Amino acid sequence: MMKNKEKEELQLFNDDETAKQGLDELLNNVEDSKKNGRRNLYMLRFFLRKQKDNFALALPIGAGELEDAVFHQLRQQNEKTCVKYDVTSQNKFAYEWLPLTEVQENWNLFCNLQHGAIEMSKDVSKLSSANIVLMILEYSGKRYYIGLCQTPFDNVYKGKRLLFNDSGEIKSCVQNRYFLFMESITFIVAQIDNRMIAYIFDQAKFNKFFNYDAYIEAYANNNLPAFTRLNLVDSWEVLTQKIKKKYVYATIYKILKDEEYLQEIKNADLVLFKKRVLENDKTKSLTEDDFTTDNKIKLTGDNLRAFLNILTKKNRYNFFTGMAEE
């Protein structure tokens, strides 16, 4: 039985229009937000492992050049569309969204770290091991957490001396006074209708930073019975044996989170499904021999990935409705 909270989250997860409107005001008014918004900048080291070494430094008001770079990046995002987070692929022409509850525990750790920030001037030596620039921007009654993941400077130059040319004289630098700035937004977190939404601009970095894959895998494992009740294959044994593979658990997660699509699968006519697979699957990965006499797929290690690609509509075609999708 689905609890009320889960129903609310599922409804939000499928409410594309509400989520898509979340960043419109900010991205359509970057210049005004720069002029009239209140903001604070931080450099943080945030790793889920070795948390004792994590820290947050509050940057001084004089960090104008860094602020300019963040706003410049915001301007670059205005032409992108906003789409629902897809755990099985990434749209490079869009940014994605998901309810923050899905990484809530790790987000709380991140916020607690930022709340304990110290002034950079008191410990400038930590800059080189920071792995994120965070701008907290308050604009038009909303608060935005804008994160840009970095490569720690001391990781890049570990074991090397840092030298520079000073009017023809080669001098050595103190590495812990420098940090790298990678000018690309990783995520923005904002509140929409009393719910926190994460907008992801770099899926790989976001997943690594907040360990989102762990949530996806746990969800797939906990809800596996609901998936294996689907009447599509003769046996799910091969799939359950490979549940730790990302392409497997990500597919389970994606389908169970899409209530409308899940219902289409449940209502599928297996005769039509088989016909569409044999006729319309461009990869031709499945043949007549991959089906039982009652039109179920004989799932094997050889055809598992191809079958999951069909389920996740890799070719933008819904084999259960017979309709192409954008």
Side-chain angles (χ1 to χ4, degrees):
M1 192 76 177
M2 188 175 290
K3 297 178 181 178
N4 288 336
K5 183 179 180 182
E6 292 174 334
K7 287 183 178 179
E8 289 178 2
E9 290 177 2
L10 185 59
Q11 181 181 4
L12 173 65
F13 197 90
N14 289 303
D15 190 359
D16 280 330
E17 291 308 313
T18 299
K20 288 175 181 178
Q21 294 169 7
L23 292 188
D24 284 353
E25 186 170 20
L26 173 62
L27 298 182
N28 291 332
N29 298 281
V30 174
E31 296 306 322
D32 190 59
S33 69
K34 181 179 180 182
K35 179 180 179 181
N36 296 308
R38 297 174 55 194
R39 64 263 193 182
N40 290 302
L41 270 176
Y42 302 89
M43 294 287 296
L44 298 92
R45 173 190 168 91
F46 180 75
F47 289 103
L48 293 173
R49 295 182 179 180
K50 297 182 179 179
Q51 293 184 28
K52 64 181 180 63
D53 297 325
N54 289 346
F55 61 80
L57 299 175
L59 272 61
I61 297 176
E65 187 172 338
L66 194 55
E67 288 187 356
D68 290 344
V70 175
F71 282 108
H72 172 74
Q73 276 304 304
L74 284 174
R75 294 187 199 99
Q76 310 311 305
Q77 313 307 323
N78 195 32
E79 297 302 318
K80 292 183 178 179
T81 58
C82 180
V83 298
K84 187 185 302 180
Y85 190 101
D86 188 341
V87 297
T88 61
S89 63
Q90 183 175 16
N91 185 338
K92 63 181 179 179
F93 301 109
Y95 60 91
E96 301 173 294
W97 67 272
L98 57 80
L100 191 64
T101 51
E102 303 199 354
V103 290
Q104 191 68 57
E105 183 177 349
N106 292 335
W107 175 255
N108 290 343
L109 290 173
F110 180 72
C111 287
N112 290 340
L113 183 64
Q114 176 264 315
H115 290 156
I118 63 173
E119 293 180 21
M120 186 187 72
S121 58
K122 293 181 179 179
D123 203 345
V124 69
S125 64
K126 290 185 173 182
L127 277 177
S128 64
S129 59
N131 67 337
I132 190 166
V133 170
L134 175 69
M135 174 184 282
I136 299 180
L137 174 65
E138 294 185 4
Y139 174 66
S140 189
K142 292 183 180 179
R143 175 176 291 184
Y144 303 92
Y145 296 82
I146 306 168
L148 300 89
C149 289
Q150 316 296 308
T151 299
F153 189 84
D154 52 9
N155 283 5
V156 176
Y157 287 95
K158 185 175 292 185
K160 305 179 182 72
R161 293 185 66 188
L162 185 62
L163 305 172
F164 73 103
N165 181 353
D166 183 10
S167 300
E169 183 180 355
I170 302 300
K171 295 183 179 180
S172 179
C173 301
V174 181
Q175 291 188 25
N176 60 17
R177 290 184 172 271
Y178 294 84
F179 65 90
L180 294 175
F181 178 65
M182 300 171 67
E183 297 186 41
S184 57
I185 292 175
T186 304
F187 65 85
I188 299 176
V189 171
Q191 182 172 309
I192 310 298
D193 291 345
N194 298 318
R195 295 182 177 92
M196 299 295 285
I197 303 292
Y199 296 91
I200 295 92
F201 296 80
D202 188 316
Q203 195 181 95
K205 289 180 181 177
F206 178 86
N207 287 1
K208 183 177 180 180
F209 201 73
F210 290 108
N211 198 19
Y212 186 46
D213 283 342
Y215 171 84
I216 299 169
E217 184 176 4
Y219 186 95
N221 275 282
N222 293 337
N223 294 277
L224 182 59
F227 186 83
T228 55
R229 282 196 292 269
L230 296 175
N231 190 35
L232 293 175
V233 305
D234 62 339
S235 170
W236 291 103
E237 183 179 357
V238 171
L239 178 136
T240 57
Q241 290 174 347
K242 295 181 179 292
I243 189 71
K244 290 187 176 296
K245 299 287 186 180
K246 183 174 180 178
Y247 76 92
V248 177
Y249 67 71
T251 297
I252 296 171
Y253 170 89
K254 179 177 180 178
I255 289 174
L256 292 182
K257 280 288 190 176
D258 190 335
E259 193 173 51
E260 181 178 346
Y261 184 47
L262 184 62
Q263 196 59 46
E264 290 172 356
I265 297 175
K266 290 179 179 179
N267 296 336
D269 181 320
L270 293 185
V271 175
L272 280 176
F273 174 66
K274 174 184 174 181
K275 183 174 184 294
R276 290 168 183 150
V277 168
L278 296 179
E279 293 179 356
N280 299 320
D281 178 21
K282 296 178 181 179
T283 67
K284 300 299 179 184
S285 301
L286 298 178
T287 68
E288 182 78 37
D289 292 337
D290 290 296
F291 289 86
T292 65
T293 55
D294 56 351
N295 302 304
K296 294 182 181 180
I297 289 178
K298 294 183 284 189
L299 207 57
T300 67
D302 292 332
N303 67 19
L304 175 61
R305 190 183 288 270
F307 170 65
L308 296 183
N309 285 343
I310 286 172
L311 287 188
T312 55
K313 298 180 280 191
K314 285 286 186 180
N315 293 320
R316 304 296 179 186
Y317 180 80
N318 187 329
F319 289 88
F320 302 98
T321 63
M323 298 177 64
E325 298 186 355
E326 293 182 1

